[in-house]
Amino acid sequence: CFNGRRLVVFSGGEAKTLNDVYQDIQAIYDGGGHGSIIGRNAFQRPREEARDMFRQIIDIMLGRVNVSSGNR
């Protein structure tokens, strides 16, 4: 499915707003990326908020939603 390739995106810095996280994930998806390391952007949030964030990220990476078009 990846033709033998793996793409890993590393991102550091401060935790971001949910909208910023979603925009970054959308840009990675639009650019042909296959994932991102989230780290503090998940683990510094309350459990339910992090779980909802992961669901949204999965939907973006599966092409179910496009946050750049406002379809959330």
Side-chain angles (χ1 to χ4, degrees):
C1 130
F2 296 108
N3 294 328
R5 297 180 355 194
R6 296 292 181 263
L7 177 63
V8 178
V9 177
F10 292 93
S11 177
E14 298 178 15
K16 300 178 180 185
T17 67
L18 285 174
N19 187 56
D20 287 344
V21 171
Y22 300 150
Q23 293 298 322
D24 287 351
I25 297 299
Q26 187 69 57
I28 290 167
Y29 176 78
D30 291 345
H34 298 287
S36 177
I37 296 173
I38 302 299
R40 74 182 56 85
N41 285 295
F43 302 117
Q44 290 182 358
R45 297 181 190 283
R47 184 182 179 107
E48 288 189 22
E49 184 178 340
R51 186 182 60 225
D52 292 343
M53 184 187 77
F54 282 130
R55 287 183 180 138
Q56 179 74 356
I57 289 170
I58 290 167
D59 285 345
I60 294 168
M61 293 304 291
L62 291 176
R64 294 178 185 158
V65 298
N66 183 324
V67 296
S68 61
S69 68
N71 182 19
R72 288 165 69 182

